[in-house]
């Protein structure tokens, strides 16, 4: 059986190969959500919230795999909104103990949210991964997902 590190290594290469030369951020976000969701059984909701260009302090749902996600999240609210405000990865072992968590689906028990920056260092989106397991995410997920997000918008105008 593949270890978590091996899965991140494999899926990282798959993602790099699929998005290479693609100029659409949406196509890239959709491909990442799909490949990550296929790679990890424990990922229950996998997708992106995009910074709304018309409301720069608000996230709007982007490509994802999973059950229905809420459409909009203001900066500073919920795990995604806090990540957008802090511009750094947040891991929550138990979402029910996280003040202000936005429960789009009550089956979610833990989550990790990683910021995505564009080529000029502006926040473009956040990657949100939710699991039905408690404490599903650790520093290996942080490293694996941050590596994917770091390269995600290279060569793309957002
Ligand atoms: N978990 C998020 C909300 C989005 S969904 O769960 C799809 C949060 O608290 O930011």
């Amino acid at each position: 059986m593949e270890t978590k590190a091996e899965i991140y290594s494999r899926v990282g290469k798959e993602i790099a190969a699929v998005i290479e030369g693609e100029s659409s951020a949406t196509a890239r976000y959709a491909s990442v959500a799909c490949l990550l969701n296929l790679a990890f059984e424990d990922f229950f909701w996998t997708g992106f919230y995009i910074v709304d260009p018309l409301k720069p302090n608000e996230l709007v749902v982007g490509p994802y795999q999973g059950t229905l996600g809420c459409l909009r999240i203001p900066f500073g609210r919920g795990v995604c909104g806090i990540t957008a405000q802090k511009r750094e990865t947040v891991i929550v072992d138990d979402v029910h103990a996280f003040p202000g968590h936005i429960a789009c689906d009550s089956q979610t028990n833990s989550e990790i949210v990683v910021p995505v920056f564009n080529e000029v260092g502006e926040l473009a989106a956040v990657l949100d991964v939710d699991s039905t397991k408690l404490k599903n995410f650790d520093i290996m997920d942080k490293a694996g997902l941050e590596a994917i997000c770091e390269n995600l918008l290279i060569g793309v105008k957002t």
Side-chain angles (χ1 to χ4, degrees), residues 45 49 69-70 73 78-80 101-102 104 111 128 130:
W45 197 98
Y49 279 89
C70 36
I73 301 176
V79 187
C80 292
H101 170 250
I102 302 166
C104 294
E111 67 179 270
D128 177 10
D130 301 349

